[in-house]
Amino acid sequence: MQEMMKTTVQPNKKQLLNRLKRIEGQVRGIHQMIENDRYCVDILHQISAIQSAINKVSLALLEDHTHHCVANAIKGNDGENAIKELMDVMKAMTK
């Protein structure tokens, strides 16, 4: 049996895509730093910045999901499933 894929309209799609483009650029920068034998600590600082940026994207998506998808599911009497799904995602994010 094929599972149906859920979709949604991202209310902050443009901002999220812009952040992800910046992250892509940072990753390419780290690639160049390693190729050019840059100092390890400088590379680690850039990796830390990327991890922080990814966390911000995750939190923005989590906030949008909570305000829209979860709120709508609660209004539509499917709140328990939406909350369980939200908690599963939060547990995965904090591993």
Side-chain angles (χ1 to χ4, degrees), residues 43-64:
I43 296 168
L44 291 168
H45 282 295
Q46 289 302 310
I47 290 171
S48 177
I50 290 170
Q51 289 171 327
S52 177
I54 287 286
N55 286 340
K56 287 179 183 177
V57 169
S58 295
L59 288 174
L61 280 168
L62 187 61
E63 184 175 1
D64 287 346

mmCIF file of all heavy atoms in Angstrom, residues 43-64:
data_model
loop_
_atom_site.group_PDB
_atom_site.id
_atom_site.type_symbol
_atom_site.label_atom_id
_atom_site.label_comp_id
_atom_site.label_asym_id
_atom_site.label_seq_id
_atom_site.Cartn_x
_atom_site.Cartn_y
_atom_site.Cartn_z
ATOM 1 N N ILE A 43 37.756 26.664 10.179
ATOM 2 C CA ILE A 43 36.765 25.780 9.554
ATOM 3 C C ILE A 43 35.698 25.397 10.566
ATOM 4 O O ILE A 43 34.495 25.420 10.265
ATOM 5 C CB ILE A 43 37.447 24.523 8.967
ATOM 6 C CG1 ILE A 43 38.407 24.923 7.838
ATOM 7 C CG2 ILE A 43 36.405 23.530 8.460
ATOM 8 C CD1 ILE A 43 39.329 23.804 7.387
ATOM 9 N N LEU A 44 36.113 25.070 11.776
ATOM 10 C CA LEU A 44 35.150 24.690 12.818
ATOM 11 C C LEU A 44 34.206 25.833 13.161
ATOM 12 O O LEU A 44 33.015 25.605 13.415
ATOM 13 C CB LEU A 44 35.886 24.190 14.063
ATOM 14 C CG LEU A 44 36.597 22.849 13.874
ATOM 15 C CD1 LEU A 44 37.538 22.575 15.034
ATOM 16 C CD2 LEU A 44 35.595 21.725 13.717
ATOM 17 N N HIS A 45 34.696 27.058 13.139
ATOM 18 C CA HIS A 45 33.817 28.213 13.382
ATOM 19 C C HIS A 45 32.756 28.313 12.289
ATOM 20 O O HIS A 45 31.586 28.605 12.570
ATOM 21 C CB HIS A 45 34.619 29.515 13.451
ATOM 22 C CG HIS A 45 35.330 29.726 14.744
ATOM 23 N ND1 HIS A 45 34.675 29.906 15.939
ATOM 24 C CD2 HIS A 45 36.646 29.777 15.028
ATOM 25 C CE1 HIS A 45 35.549 30.059 16.908
ATOM 26 N NE2 HIS A 45 36.770 29.985 16.380
ATOM 27 N N GLN A 46 33.150 28.072 11.046
ATOM 28 C CA GLN A 46 32.191 28.117 9.947
ATOM 29 C C GLN A 46 31.168 26.984 10.061
ATOM 30 O O GLN A 46 29.979 27.177 9.784
ATOM 31 C CB GLN A 46 32.919 28.045 8.599
ATOM 32 C CG GLN A 46 33.677 29.303 8.268
ATOM 33 C CD GLN A 46 32.768 30.518 8.255
ATOM 34 O OE1 GLN A 46 31.714 30.515 7.631
ATOM 35 N NE2 GLN A 46 33.165 31.562 8.961
ATOM 36 N N ILE A 47 31.621 25.804 10.471
ATOM 37 C CA ILE A 47 30.696 24.683 10.671
ATOM 38 C C ILE A 47 29.690 25.023 11.760
ATOM 39 O O ILE A 47 28.488 24.755 11.619
ATOM 40 C CB ILE A 47 31.470 23.384 10.989
ATOM 41 C CG1 ILE A 47 32.217 22.908 9.736
ATOM 42 C CG2 ILE A 47 30.520 22.300 11.511
ATOM 43 C CD1 ILE A 47 33.183 21.767 9.982
ATOM 44 N N SER A 48 30.160 25.646 12.823
ATOM 45 C CA SER A 48 29.261 26.057 13.906
ATOM 46 C C SER A 48 28.213 27.050 13.408
ATOM 47 O O SER A 48 27.035 26.973 13.776
ATOM 48 C CB SER A 48 30.081 26.670 15.043
ATOM 49 O OG SER A 48 29.244 27.135 16.067
ATOM 50 N N ALA A 49 28.635 27.969 12.547
ATOM 51 C CA ALA A 49 27.697 28.951 11.985
ATOM 52 C C ALA A 49 26.646 28.254 11.135
ATOM 53 O O ALA A 49 25.460 28.616 11.182
ATOM 54 C CB ALA A 49 28.459 29.986 11.159
ATOM 55 N N ILE A 50 27.053 27.237 10.382
ATOM 56 C CA ILE A 50 26.100 26.496 9.557
ATOM 57 C C ILE A 50 25.113 25.737 10.430
ATOM 58 O O ILE A 50 23.910 25.726 10.154
ATOM 59 C CB ILE A 50 26.839 25.538 8.596
ATOM 60 C CG1 ILE A 50 27.559 26.336 7.521
ATOM 61 C CG2 ILE A 50 25.883 24.535 7.968
ATOM 62 C CD1 ILE A 50 28.510 25.513 6.670
ATOM 63 N N GLN A 51 25.613 25.106 11.477
ATOM 64 C CA GLN A 51 24.716 24.377 12.378
ATOM 65 C C GLN A 51 23.695 25.321 12.997
ATOM 66 O O GLN A 51 22.509 24.987 13.097
ATOM 67 C CB GLN A 51 25.521 23.668 13.467
ATOM 68 C CG GLN A 51 26.300 22.494 12.937
ATOM 69 C CD GLN A 51 27.279 21.917 13.950
ATOM 70 O OE1 GLN A 51 27.849 22.639 14.772
ATOM 71 N NE2 GLN A 51 27.488 20.616 13.863
ATOM 72 N N SER A 52 24.119 26.497 13.375
ATOM 73 C CA SER A 52 23.202 27.491 13.937
ATOM 74 C C SER A 52 22.163 27.917 12.905
ATOM 75 O O SER A 52 20.969 28.027 13.222
ATOM 76 C CB SER A 52 24.002 28.696 14.424
ATOM 77 O OG SER A 52 23.139 29.698 14.906
ATOM 78 N N ALA A 53 22.607 28.132 11.674
ATOM 79 C CA ALA A 53 21.681 28.538 10.612
ATOM 80 C C ALA A 53 20.667 27.441 10.316
ATOM 81 O O ALA A 53 19.478 27.724 10.125
ATOM 82 C CB ALA A 53 22.469 28.904 9.350
ATOM 83 N N ILE A 54 21.097 26.194 10.290
ATOM 84 C CA ILE A 54 20.184 25.065 10.070
ATOM 85 C C ILE A 54 19.175 24.981 11.214
ATOM 86 O O ILE A 54 17.982 24.746 10.986
ATOM 87 C CB ILE A 54 20.969 23.735 9.940
ATOM 88 C CG1 ILE A 54 21.694 23.671 8.605
ATOM 89 C CG2 ILE A 54 20.068 22.529 10.123
ATOM 90 C CD1 ILE A 54 20.806 23.426 7.412
ATOM 91 N N ASN A 55 19.643 25.193 12.430
ATOM 92 C CA ASN A 55 18.723 25.176 13.577
ATOM 93 C C ASN A 55 17.665 26.265 13.445
ATOM 94 O O ASN A 55 16.501 26.049 13.776
ATOM 95 C CB ASN A 55 19.491 25.342 14.889
ATOM 96 C CG ASN A 55 20.252 24.095 15.275
ATOM 97 O OD1 ASN A 55 19.959 22.991 14.799
ATOM 98 N ND2 ASN A 55 21.246 24.254 16.123
ATOM 99 N N LYS A 56 18.052 27.433 12.950
ATOM 100 C CA LYS A 56 17.085 28.521 12.772
ATOM 101 C C LYS A 56 16.044 28.168 11.711
ATOM 102 O O LYS A 56 14.862 28.468 11.875
ATOM 103 C CB LYS A 56 17.807 29.824 12.410
ATOM 104 C CG LYS A 56 18.545 30.423 13.588
ATOM 105 C CD LYS A 56 19.256 31.693 13.211
ATOM 106 C CE LYS A 56 20.037 32.222 14.400
ATOM 107 N NZ LYS A 56 20.803 33.424 14.079
ATOM 108 N N VAL A 57 16.474 27.506 10.638
ATOM 109 C CA VAL A 57 15.529 27.065 9.607
ATOM 110 C C VAL A 57 14.571 26.046 10.211
ATOM 111 O O VAL A 57 13.351 26.120 10.006
ATOM 112 C CB VAL A 57 16.263 26.484 8.377
ATOM 113 C CG1 VAL A 57 15.289 25.796 7.431
ATOM 114 C CG2 VAL A 57 17.029 27.570 7.642
ATOM 115 N N SER A 58 15.105 25.104 10.976
ATOM 116 C CA SER A 58 14.267 24.086 11.611
ATOM 117 C C SER A 58 13.241 24.708 12.551
ATOM 118 O O SER A 58 12.068 24.338 12.530
ATOM 119 C CB SER A 58 15.130 23.097 12.410
ATOM 120 O OG SER A 58 15.971 22.363 11.571
ATOM 121 N N LEU A 59 13.686 25.656 13.361
ATOM 122 C CA LEU A 59 12.761 26.298 14.300
ATOM 123 C C LEU A 59 11.703 27.118 13.570
ATOM 124 O O LEU A 59 10.543 27.142 13.997
ATOM 125 C CB LEU A 59 13.530 27.167 15.292
ATOM 126 C CG LEU A 59 14.335 26.398 16.333
ATOM 127 C CD1 LEU A 59 15.181 27.359 17.167
ATOM 128 C CD2 LEU A 59 13.423 25.569 17.225
ATOM 129 N N ALA A 60 12.077 27.776 12.485
ATOM 130 C CA ALA A 60 11.097 28.538 11.711
ATOM 131 C C ALA A 60 10.043 27.604 11.119
ATOM 132 O O ALA A 60 8.839 27.895 11.160
ATOM 133 C CB ALA A 60 11.787 29.330 10.607
ATOM 134 N N LEU A 61 10.488 26.469 10.579
ATOM 135 C CA LEU A 61 9.534 25.489 10.041
ATOM 136 C C LEU A 61 8.655 24.913 11.146
ATOM 137 O O LEU A 61 7.446 24.728 10.964
ATOM 138 C CB LEU A 61 10.287 24.360 9.337
ATOM 139 C CG LEU A 61 10.767 24.670 7.932
ATOM 140 C CD1 LEU A 61 11.729 23.600 7.454
ATOM 141 C CD2 LEU A 61 9.585 24.780 6.994
ATOM 142 N N LEU A 62 9.253 24.645 12.287
ATOM 143 C CA LEU A 62 8.496 24.106 13.418
ATOM 144 C C LEU A 62 7.437 25.101 13.885
ATOM 145 O O LEU A 62 6.288 24.727 14.151
ATOM 146 C CB LEU A 62 9.458 23.768 14.558
ATOM 147 C CG LEU A 62 8.913 23.041 15.756
ATOM 148 C CD1 LEU A 62 8.358 21.676 15.362
ATOM 149 C CD2 LEU A 62 10.010 22.866 16.796
ATOM 150 N N GLU A 63 7.805 26.366 13.921
ATOM 151 C CA GLU A 63 6.847 27.397 14.328
ATOM 152 C C GLU A 63 5.700 27.506 13.316
ATOM 153 O O GLU A 63 4.528 27.542 13.696
ATOM 154 C CB GLU A 63 7.551 28.739 14.472
ATOM 155 C CG GLU A 63 6.640 29.833 14.989
ATOM 156 C CD GLU A 63 7.362 31.131 15.255
ATOM 157 O OE1 GLU A 63 8.587 31.220 15.020
ATOM 158 O OE2 GLU A 63 6.684 32.074 15.696
ATOM 159 N N ASP A 64 6.050 27.547 12.021
ATOM 160 C CA ASP A 64 5.012 27.598 10.989
ATOM 161 C C ASP A 64 4.101 26.380 11.067
ATOM 162 O O ASP A 64 2.875 26.503 10.972
ATOM 163 C CB ASP A 64 5.640 27.666 9.592
ATOM 164 C CG ASP A 64 6.258 29.015 9.290
ATOM 165 O OD1 ASP A 64 5.988 29.979 10.032
ATOM 166 O OD2 ASP A 64 7.016 29.100 8.300
#
